[in-house]
Amino acid sequence: MSQEQYAHRSTMQSSEGPHVYKVGIYGWRKRCLYFFVLLLMILILVNLAMTIWILKVMNFTIDGMGNLRITEKGLKLEGDSEFLKPLYAKEIRSRTGNPLYFQSARNVTVNILNEKSKVLTRLVTGPKAVEAHSQKFEVRTTKGILLFSADDNEVVVGAERLRVIGAEGTVFPKSIETSTIRADPFKELRLESPTRSLVMEAPKGVHINAEAGNLEATCRTELKLESKDGEITLDTANIKLPRLPQGSYSPTGSRQKIYELCVCPNGRLFLSQAGSSSTCQINSSVCL
């Protein structure tokens, strides 16, 4: 470009004036931008209001939420609570002086696990029964005295006295070991075996005593009293055997009612009318 042409172009631009270039968003774009900014502000305000409302309703504080408080010793929960999932805790206890209730629509199960998550002890309280699954079950007093213990081998009752108040008594399918069996005052004590035998054994003797009543021993076939090394003593003022058989011997014209007690070689007892001498040999046919 020659010098004359450049000077002519510069003169024409200066005569037209300076050009202004607009920078920004105009028209419908500007209105859409304002609308989105306004909508965003409304959402922020609604979100803030909802957050404040939730904090107010749930009672969120620095110490916890609602009835749940966070303390130095753990979590403190006041009022009734409902757990929809399993609860894992080291210790659960109520406020001092208040009871602790566990309530469920079906059952309450307490499991004790080992480090391999294997169940060692389980306590199930259901609508029909309370079940305890463990190797050993014990009941102790506040002083640590054993009251009841049960395992695979034996059941131990450690109380000084075991009282059975059932109307039909107690049934023991097998043997029972105890030092004393006694009825309540003014009540009778009955030991019976409807279909089997009843055996009472003791290394130092069996003592049967009825201080204010009668003592009855009834059986269908045989009642046997046996002493292997000692003797059997019947210490009483009167001994009655009303059903003993009587011999047929009777002296002519004798009307006396005095009888002699005779013993057969097999141990059977019978009565023989007494005479001037023993009449047992004469009535020995009873022993046959």
Side-chain angles (χ1 to χ4, degrees):
M1 181 181 295
S2 61
Q3 186 175 1
E4 290 83 5
Q5 292 178 354
Y6 178 77
H8 178 71
R9 186 174 183 179
S10 298
T11 304
M12 292 178 60
Q13 291 180 354
S14 60
S15 62
E16 293 178 359
H19 291 276
V20 179
Y21 295 95
K22 297 180 180 181
V23 179
I25 301 176
Y26 299 94
W28 64 272
R29 294 184 179 87
K30 183 177 182 180
R31 289 191 294 269
C32 290
L33 178 61
Y34 287 162
F35 174 75
F36 284 120
V37 172
L38 180 60
L39 181 61
L40 182 60
M41 292 179 63
I42 294 174
L43 292 177
I44 293 174
L45 292 177
V46 172
N47 191 11
L48 181 60
M50 291 293 294
T51 303
I52 296 175
W53 179 76
I54 292 174
L55 293 176
K56 186 64 177 180
V57 172
M58 299 300 293
N59 195 13
F60 276 96
T61 60
I62 300 177
D63 297 330
M65 177 187 67
N67 294 330
L68 184 63
R69 296 289 183 268
I70 301 175
T71 62
E72 296 179 355
K73 297 181 180 180
L75 298 179
K76 181 179 180 181
L77 187 60
E78 299 178 355
D80 297 336
S81 302
E82 183 178 355
F83 297 94
L84 303 179
K85 297 291 184 176
L87 175 63
Y88 299 91
K90 180 180 180 181
E91 181 180 358
I92 301 176
R93 63 181 179 179
S94 64
R95 184 185 297 177
T96 303
N98 293 336
L100 178 63
Y101 295 98
F102 291 95
Q103 191 175 24
S104 174
R106 292 188 178 181
N107 56 45
V108 177
T109 304
V110 180
N111 293 332
I112 307 299
L113 309 178
N114 58 5
E115 61 277 2
K116 298 181 180 180
S117 300
K118 182 180 180 180
V119 178
L120 299 179
T121 303
R122 173 178 296 173
L123 178 63
V124 181
T125 57
K128 295 183 179 180
V130 177
E131 300 180 1
H133 303 266
S134 63
Q135 295 181 355
K136 190 173 183 180
F137 180 76
E138 292 184 355
V139 178
R140 296 180 179 269
T141 63
T142 55
K143 297 181 180 179
I145 301 176
L146 181 64
L147 294 179
F148 181 83
S149 175
D151 56 17
D152 295 339
N153 299 323
E154 62 180 1
V155 176
V156 179
V157 179
E160 296 182 358
R161 182 179 181 182
L162 175 62
R163 184 179 180 184
V164 181
I165 59 176
E168 299 296 331
T170 304
V171 179
F172 297 97
K174 296 185 179 181
S175 62
I176 177 175
E177 181 179 349
T178 180
S179 59
T180 305
I181 300 178
R182 182 174 57 187
D184 288 338
F186 308 105
K187 301 290 183 179
E188 65 176 6
L189 175 64
R190 178 178 297 178
L191 303 177
E192 63 179 358
S193 178
T195 58
R196 297 292 186 270
S197 60
L198 178 62
V199 180
M200 292 185 292
E201 298 178 346
K204 294 185 178 180
V206 178
H207 179 68
I208 302 176
N209 183 22
E211 297 181 356
N214 299 329
L215 178 64
E216 298 181 2
T218 305
C219 65
R220 183 170 296 275
T221 55
E222 295 182 359
L223 177 62
K224 184 178 181 180
L225 300 177
E226 180 182 358
S227 178
K228 295 181 180 179
D229 298 330
E231 59 183 11
I232 298 175
T233 302
L234 301 177
D235 186 5
T236 180
N238 298 314
I239 298 178
K240 295 182 180 180
L241 302 174
R243 295 186 181 182
L244 287 180
Q246 297 181 8
S248 59
Y249 169 77
S250 178
T252 305
S254 175
R255 296 181 179 179
Q256 64 179 353
K257 295 184 179 181
I258 301 175
Y259 294 88
E260 181 180 0
L261 181 62
C262 303
V263 183
C264 298
N266 58 3
R268 184 177 185 183
L269 299 178
F270 68 93
L271 296 178
S272 177
Q273 193 170 5
S276 58
S277 60
S278 177
T279 58
C280 292
Q281 187 68 27
I282 300 175
N283 296 282
S284 60
S285 60
V286 181
C287 298
L288 301 178

